[in-house]
Amino acid sequence: MSWQAYVDTSLVGTGQLDKAAIFNAEGTSVWAASSGFNVRSHFRQILFWAEIKIPYVAPAEIKEVVNAYKDTAQVKNVQSAGFHIAGDRYVVIKSDDRSLYGKKGKEGIIIVKTTQAILVTHYPESVQPGTAANTVEQLGDYLVSVGY
């Protein structure tokens, strides 16, 4: 299955998530992204996406995520500072070596790190956080089981 198929079928296609992207584990490369959840990689795109108001994951935002996984402190910095995705700040409700969950009102972000990838997903107000988390964690388990 292609990375885009994982996004389209195993994540957004479940109806539990409305946006998703898959990055390499270093956060330096986007392997796939859902429509409407774009990634800015250079200045020209920044101006373009800002003008038409499409949600995006900025390089600095994915760097925050990667740094959260590298933080080995008992209380991680991200737990007190939160993190940003698509320009919105999320309060951390879970942060461990594999998973990072954030909430903003009734919507949220579920991020799962596998051996070689980082799954960044968004669930809308209409979805229960546990259901969304289960969907992403299951794909994460599968990817780890096949070496990714």
Side-chain angles (χ1 to χ4, degrees):
M1 189 179 286
S2 73
W3 292 111
Q4 191 61 50
Y6 285 124
V7 167
D8 296 340
T9 305
S10 301
L11 295 172
V12 177
T14 65
Q16 305 305 317
L17 305 156
D18 60 353
K19 299 176 193 116
I22 301 176
F23 293 83
N24 68 337
E26 296 79 32
T28 57
S29 177
V30 182
W31 292 349
S34 63
S35 165
F37 201 48
N38 298 291
V39 180
R40 293 203 266 184
S41 61
H42 57 78
F43 188 68
R44 173 175 268 162
Q45 282 184 317
I46 289 172
L47 292 176
F48 176 72
W49 294 122
E51 288 172 11
I52 59 174
K53 309 289 190 227
I54 293 177
Y56 59 85
V57 180
E61 293 172 339
I62 194 65
K63 186 174 181 178
E64 278 183 356
V65 170
V66 170
N67 288 341
Y69 285 117
K70 290 179 180 178
D71 188 348
T72 58
Q74 183 69 24
V75 177
K76 295 181 176 197
N77 184 52
V78 73
Q79 290 172 292
S80 58
F83 64 92
H84 297 83
I85 297 291
D88 291 324
R89 182 181 178 276
Y90 290 85
V91 175
V92 173
I93 55 176
K94 177 181 179 179
S95 176
D96 61 29
D97 292 342
R98 174 184 157 122
S99 305
L100 180 60
Y101 299 179
K103 201 156 166 80
K104 184 189 94 175
K106 294 182 180 180
E107 65 185 69
I109 297 286
I110 306 293
I111 301 172
V112 173
K113 185 178 184 302
T114 69
T115 308
Q116 298 183 39
I118 298 175
L119 313 175
V120 179
T121 65
H122 177 272
Y123 63 88
E125 292 182 6
S126 60
V127 173
Q128 292 295 317
T131 306
N134 190 43
T135 299
V136 184
E137 294 285 359
Q138 284 181 353
L139 179 58
D141 289 343
Y142 170 74
L143 291 174
V144 168
S145 78
V146 296
Y148 283 99

